[in-house]
Amino acid sequence: MEEDKDKENESHQRDVSYNPKRKNDNIKEEKSIGIENDQDEEGNKEKIIERMIDRNSNSNTYSNTDRYTNENTLSSIENRPIFDLQTLLSQRQDRLWSVLYERYKYNTSIKRGQDFLLNHVDSKISLVVMYADLVGSTKMSMALPVERMAKIIKVFSHELSSVVESYNGFVLKYVGDAIIACFPSGFNKYLSCDTAFQCAKSMIDVIENGINPIFEKDKDNYPKLAVKIGMDEGENLAIQYGYDKSSPIDLIGYPMNVAAKMTSLTGPNKITVGNNVYKLLHPTLLSEFQEMQIKETEWNYIDLETNLRYKVYTMK
């Protein structure tokens, strides 16, 4: 009997020593499965958010080293999933209806761009500078009621600014009916120029397929909008007009002047780029451009590298 009790005690001790370990292993396994499920669920949520959100990083499109080595680079540039375009246009149109009927007010701000430039005050910075100008705004201001014209400017400024930010660009300022934006180009000039060009094409698409269809349906008969865009690349000086952080910061430089002038010579819903941008674009994109023939009386800018007349290219 004593031997049987001893064996029973030994068996009980083995079970006691074994069961906790087995239980812990089961708990760990369950936790691991739970974590994986949570990660899968979180990953799905992130994919949905990335598809619906109005901005995303464009730095993952392709690496700096495969600028020309990857034969699929152009396809990835043109078709990259920065946002689902149809969803983007739908969101803008819903918002635009609310703006037209006073249910929503824009809160357009240049704070993000000012915060970026604050780190470069009193220094030169390489940028792709973009001017986006509303076509025919002077005539519209003379023919339309003040309230309607004000809405047009607000819609144009806010919707195109959000496109700039979706491509990780920065809005520098608003000058009347024009938006001035910039894309840092010091790290990878090729990527920055390609990104700025794709941003400009998206801005035109938003005007044609997002804003104008709503304006055409509105009972107040808003006019169709068009935009002309000019871009150049180079160094600009960041200057702050004041001594505290809240003072406005502006850019001064040759590319700023060139971009402003070429925009005035650009046709409706067209993009014009200076030679500094043109030579950095992906080779397959160059077929979309032709050299702009400008009279000498209208264009006196010099290429600082060659000391020859600065070449400008516009979309065909």
Side-chain angles (χ1 to χ4, degrees), residues 4 50 54 77 79 81 104 110 116 139 166 174 220 231 239 253 256 265:
D4 293 337
E50 288 176 358
D54 200 21
I77 294 173
N79 301 314
Y104 178 85
I110 61 172
F116 166 72
K139 291 183 179 179
S166 72
Y174 303 100
D220 289 331
M231 298 190 301
I239 294 182
M256 291 284 292
L265 302 174

Side-chain angles (χ1 to χ4, degrees), residues 172-186:
L172 173 64
K173 60 182 176 180
Y174 303 100
V175 181
D177 57 354
I179 301 169
I180 305 177
C182 60
F183 298 79
S185 62

Side-chain angles (χ1 to χ4, degrees), residues 62-71 73 190 194 279-284:
Y62 55 91
S63 64
N64 300 335
T65 56
D66 66 0
R67 176 61 177 84
Y68 291 115
T69 57
N70 185 358
E71 61 183 8
T73 296
Y190 297 106
D194 287 342
K279 65 185 181 183
L280 293 173
L281 289 174
H282 191 280
T284 320

Side-chain angles (χ1 to χ4, degrees), residues 27-40:
I27 292 173
K28 289 180 180 179
E29 183 178 356
E30 290 174 0
K31 286 184 177 179
S32 176
I33 294 174
I35 291 173
E36 291 177 359
N37 291 336
D38 289 342
Q39 289 176 343
D40 291 341

Side-chain angles (χ1 to χ4, degrees), residues 155-172:
V155 166
F156 177 83
S157 301
H158 183 88
E159 298 299 349
L160 295 197
S161 295
S162 64
V163 176
V164 171
E165 292 187 356
S166 72
Y167 281 84
N168 283 345
F170 298 93
V171 176
L172 173 64

